[in-house]
Every structure is written in structure tokens, then in C-alpha cells.
Amino acid sequence: MNPSASTAKPGAGRPGEPAAGGADLHLHTLFSDGTFTPEELAQRGAQVGLAAMALTDHDTVEGCERMSQACRSLGVEFIAGTELTAEFEGHEVHLLGYFLDEHQPALLAEIKKFQTVRQERIREMVSRLNRLGVPLRAETVFELANCHSPGRPHVARALALEGLCGSMDQAFERFLKKGRPAWVPKYKISALDAIALIHQAGGLAALAHPGLNHCDQHIPRLASDGLDGLECFHSKHSGAQSEHYLAVARRLNLAVTGGSDCHGFSKGKPLIGGVRLPAVYFEKLKQARRSQP
Ligand code: AMP
Ligand code: FE
Ligand code: FE
Ligand code: ZN
């Protein structure tokens, strides 16, 4: 791809379009690896003028009820969602589920499994660190994470706060990045099972940030196996990538989604409001939901 092909982010508002409004359909709270509570996130979204928000914490729907209430009181439309860690043909892919029934038993059972395995993975990472002579305790990570879906960012933050690494980045570089000595692979659901699970919970499934996953060749197969949408607009997509995925979505008849993937302060400046799904695509997504079999 030619990085100079386009510098404007289409999702961030075209010339002449108001910066406010639109939807942010990719957001995290402290129920996974974000730093905002659902209430803080809703408040921030309202401040930047979003018309709609979806909560998509990794492998959980726990924050949705609180976020829904907070959005209602602020007059912002809310969509219950999640971001499931999945695998397709050896690639890690993330599947966004939207309009979920957050009490659906099969979804809750899968989330429970994700959480158990994530907690075991933290213990394994900490054991590896201990064997390397790094005196971190698993309980320190769990206390700091204070959620059921802990991950590497929580280990990194604990290492930094305990003074065992200079920064979170350094913790990833030295220990936690894929292939580093404390890296432990993550449980992933198959992408097709994730799509089926999202459908079973009454939702629509969209492929998150395809520009980061290097699996374009598999999108047609996912689409023919039930994928409903493609996240064309994302903070890490260039303008040219967004245009590319808009064309892919058009060709495969997939709904267009988009969001900032804001994690609060855990990755620098909060991204909320930076990428907005234009209302026309949001309306089409809702139409796709209504016309679901
Ligand atoms: P996990 O789900 O536990 O594997 O953690 C994935 C999270 O770690 C994602 O939110 C990533 O953005 C974050 N992450 C991955 N690599 C790095 C890195 N080098 N520095 C900071 N955060 C990272
Ligand atoms: Fe994350
Ligand atoms: Fe993701
Ligand atoms: Zn995300």
C-alpha cells in the first residue's frame, strides 16, 4: 500500500462534515484492558458529541449493563457488544459482536471459559517471570486488574508499578511480546464458532481492524460463513486502508463498522472521538440487524 495515497481518515470526518456526531463502535473499559469505568467512558463519548457508542471489551460483556444505563442518562444510543479473541487459518483475528443479548447462556458460558483461561495464563506468565528471577506475584496483577478478563497489559502495568521494569513498553519488549520469555499463547475460539455464538446471542459479527491482521485473503470465506460486517474505520487504519476495506465490504456485501478502539489512558491519549462511523453506515448496520433471519 502507498502510505501517501491518503492522509485523511474518512471516519474522522470528511471536509465539510461536522466533527461531532457519528458512532464509536469499538471501546474498552476497565472490565478488560481499558482504564475508564463505563460511566467515565459514556461521559467522554457524550463530551465529544458521539450519537452512539458500543462497548466491546475483550472476551466479556460485563460492563454493558452499567454503560447502557450511563448512556441512557446522557441521551447517547448504546449497543451491547464484545470483542472475541479468535483464530482463523492460523491467524489471530478479533470478532466484534454487536446488539448482543448479554444474558444469553451460551455466550455467558463461553465468556466464563475465556476468563478462566485468561486467569490461568496470568499465573503461567508470572511463574515464568519468577523463574527468570523477577519477583512479581500473581495476586498483585489480579488486584491491579480488578476484572475477570486480565491480560498482558495488566502484567506490564504491574511490572512497571512494582519497579521491576522501567515502563509498560519495556515490560512488553523484555518479557511479554510474542516470542519473549514470559509470553504465553492465548486461548482463542475458532472464528466460525465466534460468529455462530454471536448470532446465537442475537447479534451481528464484524471483523475488527482487518488492517492489523494480514488476513485479507480469508475475508471472503468468513463472509460466506456468516460474517456480517467489516471494521473499515479504526484508529490504526490509514485513510487508504479505510478506503480499501470500504471497497471490500461493498464487494462482499458486508456492513461497514468503525470505532476508535479507545483503551482510556492505558495506551497514551484517550482515542475516543478520533474515529467516527458516519451515521449512514450506522443506520445500515441497524437495518442489517432488523433483516437478520
Ligand atoms: P493480551 O490480550 O493479554 O494478549 O494483551 C493484548 C493487549 O496488549 C492488546 O490490547 C495490545 O494492544 C496490548 N499490547 C500488545 N503488544 C503491546 C506492546 N508492545 N506495548 C503495549 N501494549 C501492547
Ligand atoms: Fe485491548
Ligand atoms: Fe482488537
Ligand atoms: Zn479492541
Side-chain angles (χ1 to χ4, degrees), residues 28 33 58-59 85 92 94 118 121-122 125 150-153 156 168-169 172-173 176-177 183-184 186 236 263 266-267:
H28 296 273
D33 55 352
H58 297 286
D59 309 322
T85 311
E92 177 167 330
H94 293 177
R118 273 181 173 270
R121 178 174 174 245
I122 298 288
M125 285 192 271
R152 282 181 295 164
M168 280 181 70
D169 273 348
F172 269 96
E173 281 306 316
L176 302 172
K177 256 170 74 164
W183 175 73
V184 177
K186 194 163 44 172
K236 289 193 173 161
H263 284 73
S266 71
K267 294 179 187 171

Side-chain angles (χ1 to χ4, degrees), residues 98-173:
Y98 292 123
F99 310 108
L100 297 171
D101 169 2
E102 28 184 310
H103 304 291
Q104 204 271 336
L107 178 66
L108 290 180
E110 189 62 32
I111 283 173
K112 180 80 196 145
K113 180 171 171 189
F114 264 113
Q115 293 178 337
T116 305
V117 179
R118 273 181 173 270
Q119 288 163 20
E120 286 165 2
R121 178 174 174 245
I122 298 288
R123 293 192 187 281
E124 177 59 25
M125 285 192 271
V126 169
S127 307
R128 290 189 190 198
L129 285 165
N130 292 164
R131 270 180 261 140
L132 293 162
V134 180
L136 184 69
R137 291 168 55 248
E139 296 319 316
T140 306
V141 181
F142 291 132
E143 278 163 30
L144 177 147
N146 194 27
C147 73
H148 295 117
S149 291
R152 282 181 295 164
H154 299 115
V155 179
R157 213 181 308 158
L159 284 168
L161 287 174
E162 296 283 298
L164 299 167
C165 277
S167 66
M168 280 181 70
D169 273 348
Q170 205 187 82
F172 269 96
E173 281 306 316

